[in-house]
Amino acid sequence: MIIGTDEVITIARSAEPGEHVPVHGPGGSVDGTVVGFDAASGLALLRVPGIGGKSLPAAKPPAVGELAVTVSCPIPLGHEARLSMIRCVGGETRLPGGRLIDAYYQTDDARHRGFSGSVLLSVTGSVLGIVMPTRRREESFVLPVDAVVRIADQLRSGRNIGIGYLGVNTAPVVLPVPSENAATGLLITGVEEGSPAKRAGLTVGQFITAVAGIPTPSVEALHDSLVGLTSGQTIDVSVAAQDGSVRTLAVPVVLR
């Protein structure tokens, strides 16, 4: 999907910034360069000089029962289009790679080979979203265009993004000495040797109470706080000691 001037966003299993990949467009195959890859969603942003075409306007969220068109280019078949109906407008869910999204769409059109990464359009030609891979062939799962744009904005940094790795085992507990900001947290029960947590000074017996200022009362909350990070950055991890004292440690981000 063309998302900006000389920019394409597509589905990938893995990609590295600077990697060269062929891109099939209206004028044939051209060379593209990976700008960044998001392991948590499976989206890759490519820079493709002279790709031609233009980005289409984004549509407002569809309603159940509206018609939509899926446009794809499954090589070697050439361009294809399929008419379908929006059968579901869902709320918050998690992608297989771990990224939490606000909404998703499904159509009544079963997923066909070559259609992952294709564009779902409204009948007036506005972009609704990008068709994502699913575990079941009979499902069609669409990531809304506003979520695609947010991920593309992150990828323009030129770094891969994904799920950060701390290297700790934790369990949710009530803090022995609650603070003004937290009454619960995650007890560190294990720290892997050589891990980012070990290098930053986290130890068994401490409590993780927040990551980047976001409270972590559960393992799920910790996971969510580590999604969408870029390699090379650092994150602030707030840890409480058994006596209730709290300090913030800068932990270098390593992606899974």
Side-chain angles (χ1 to χ4, degrees), residues 9-152:
I9 197 159
T10 188
I11 303 294
R13 292 186 177 180
S14 64
E16 290 296 329
E19 180 181 349
H20 291 273
V21 294
V23 178
H24 305 284
S29 181
V30 294
D31 185 57
T33 304
V34 176
V35 176
F37 171 67
D38 175 24
S41 67
L43 293 182
L45 181 67
L46 312 178
R47 182 164 289 113
V48 190
I51 182 65
K54 62 179 181 179
S55 56
L56 298 174
K60 64 180 182 180
V64 172
E66 286 186 11
L67 295 179
V69 179
T70 304
V71 179
S72 182
C73 185
I75 303 301
L77 300 177
H79 290 87
E80 289 188 12
R82 298 178 69 90
L83 183 66
S84 60
M85 182 176 67
I86 302 294
R87 72 176 184 87
C88 174
V89 177
E92 186 178 275
T93 191
R94 193 179 300 280
L95 297 177
R99 180 178 282 274
L100 191 67
I101 58 174
D102 297 332
Y104 67 94
Y105 312 141
Q106 286 186 311
T107 70
D108 64 352
D109 184 28
R111 184 172 64 91
H112 293 271
R113 184 180 180 184
F115 270 72
S116 293
S118 57
V119 183
L120 185 71
L121 304 175
S122 70
V123 291
T124 60
S126 298
V127 178
L128 292 171
I130 189 168
V131 179
M132 303 292 287
T134 61
R135 294 187 177 95
R136 301 173 60 186
R137 290 186 61 86
E138 64 270 20
E139 292 181 347
S140 176
F141 187 95
V142 179
L143 182 64
V145 65
D146 57 344
V148 176
V149 169
R150 287 196 298 270
I151 294 170

Side-chain angles (χ1 to χ4, degrees), residues 31 61 152 154 166 226 233-234 238:
D31 185 57
Q154 287 184 285
L166 290 182
L226 298 175
Q233 75 176 100
T234 59
S238 299

Side-chain angles (χ1 to χ4, degrees), residues 200 202 209-213 235-240 245-251:
L202 276 73
T209 58
V211 174
I235 51 172
D236 291 334
V237 178
S238 299
V239 294
S245 60
V246 179
R247 60 177 178 150
T248 299
L249 301 175
V251 180

